[in-house]
Amino acid sequence: MKKSGKARAHTNIALIKYWGKADEALIIPMNNSLSVTLDRFYTETRVTFDDTLTEDQLILNGETVNAKESAKIQRYMDMVRKEAGISEHALIESENFVPTAAGLASSASAYAALAGACNEALQLGLSDKDLSRLARRGSGSASRSIYGGFAEWEKGHDDETSYAHRVESDSWENELAMIFVVINNKSKKVSSRSGMSLTRDTSRFYQYWLDHVEPDLKETKAAISQKDFKRMGEVIEANGLRMHATNLGAQPPFTYLVQESYDAMRIVQECREAGLPCYFTMDAGPNVKVLIEKKNQQAIVDKFLQAFDQSKIITSDITQSGVEIIK
């Protein structure tokens, strides 16, 4: 007997970063984080549980995945089966409209879509909160991709208390957008998971980073409630730079940023000097994301096109859609 479900989830970009786990197995973070969900990048996944299968099969963008990725999915699906009280293996067919492992948070949309598809296929009837918890077990940032708009991931202290929720914004996100400066769409030399562990365990700057997260969150949520773009932008830019500074304090030190990353940051500063407010953030990769007000989108894009090829510049609206079931 086959049970099937299909879901779509969008990727999110953390404005207040998640960097480091308190519990590696359960993916409990060291700090809360806050993100915005993007319209342009998403994953669609169909899950078919089939009692004739002897193992899980993952087809990603039409190709069978490698052994490492297959083992990771197997562990995740074992957890889903345990939670659901079933034994059937599944065929997972996933199409990723996000460059994988390039600092564009493809794992967030991937595991949010997988969790949504499992929930649909098995008719689990999970609430958004519990769906967020389920997605978190695959990738921490996936907990936030259950929601559209702004979302905060509460770090919690165990599996029950670590989940994301929507941050109300009175639809302010409809006035905002993001520009991606795609400097490198290849896989990273230092994975997010490895980078987080190394900085948490060895960086002399890490505690300084943690000490500033709560004030940053408070300021950002206040800015969202007041629709204060400048206030929010200044906080998220500083937060992102602090996160990257922790990597330079690690032993051995490392960085995800390259010269073109700094070039993009300089253009953001030049835009502000020219009366075009915008603010940058970077995740675990060299690519730079620029939060903008839609009314200034073309003028800011034009500034970037003076230094970067058009193929390197991608724009995205912010979506209010969370994980969606596809019939």
Side-chain angles (χ1 to χ4, degrees), residues 24-210:
E24 296 277 352
L26 292 176
I27 312 186
I28 308 295
M30 294 289 289
N31 61 275
N32 286 27
S33 56
L34 187 147
S35 66
V36 68
T37 304
L38 299 167
D39 184 59
R40 185 74 179 268
F41 306 114
Y42 59 94
T43 301
E44 292 183 352
T45 298
R46 178 180 294 280
V47 174
T48 304
F49 289 89
D50 185 343
D51 56 12
T52 67
L53 293 176
T54 57
E55 62 180 6
D56 295 316
Q57 299 174 14
L58 172 60
I59 309 297
L60 176 59
N61 297 333
E63 296 183 1
T64 303
V65 300
N66 61 37
K68 181 181 178 182
E69 196 62 32
S70 182
K72 184 179 177 184
I73 286 292
Q74 183 81 47
R75 289 192 297 271
Y76 183 79
M77 296 305 290
D78 284 345
M79 183 270 299
V80 171
R81 277 185 283 271
K82 183 178 178 181
E83 293 283 327
I86 63 166
S87 59
E88 296 100 318
H89 288 90
L91 170 64
I92 304 161
E93 300 165 286
S94 190
E95 195 165 2
N96 215 4
F97 298 89
V98 189
T100 303
L104 292 179
S106 59
S107 63
S109 57
Y111 278 98
L114 179 55
C118 288
N119 184 41
E120 175 68 10
L122 299 174
Q123 294 294 294
L124 299 177
L126 297 179
S127 64
D128 285 348
K129 169 185 168 180
D130 287 334
L131 197 56
S132 177
R133 289 175 48 237
L134 183 62
R136 189 203 78 235
R137 296 292 299 274
S139 171
S141 55
S143 65
R144 301 185 306 246
S145 276
I146 300 302
Y147 306 93
F150 295 100
E152 180 179 4
W153 176 14
E154 302 279 352
K155 65 178 181 179
H157 55 82
D158 59 15
D159 183 42
E160 290 291 326
T161 57
S162 186
Y163 57 87
H165 57 82
R166 180 79 188 260
V167 174
E168 290 306 318
S169 60
D170 193 25
S171 299
W172 184 38
E173 58 265 34
N174 291 338
E175 300 173 28
L176 308 178
M178 192 165 272
I179 297 171
F180 287 74
V181 187
V182 183
I183 291 158
N184 182 353
N185 62 1
K186 304 290 193 301
S187 294
K188 299 169 291 197
K189 290 181 179 178
V190 180
S191 71
S192 302
R193 191 162 295 192
S194 298
M196 285 183 189
S197 297
L198 185 64
T199 53
R200 180 200 61 200
D201 294 342
T202 70
S203 178
R204 64 192 68 191
F205 304 147
Y206 191 70
Q207 189 58 49
Y208 181 84
W209 144 260
L210 286 179

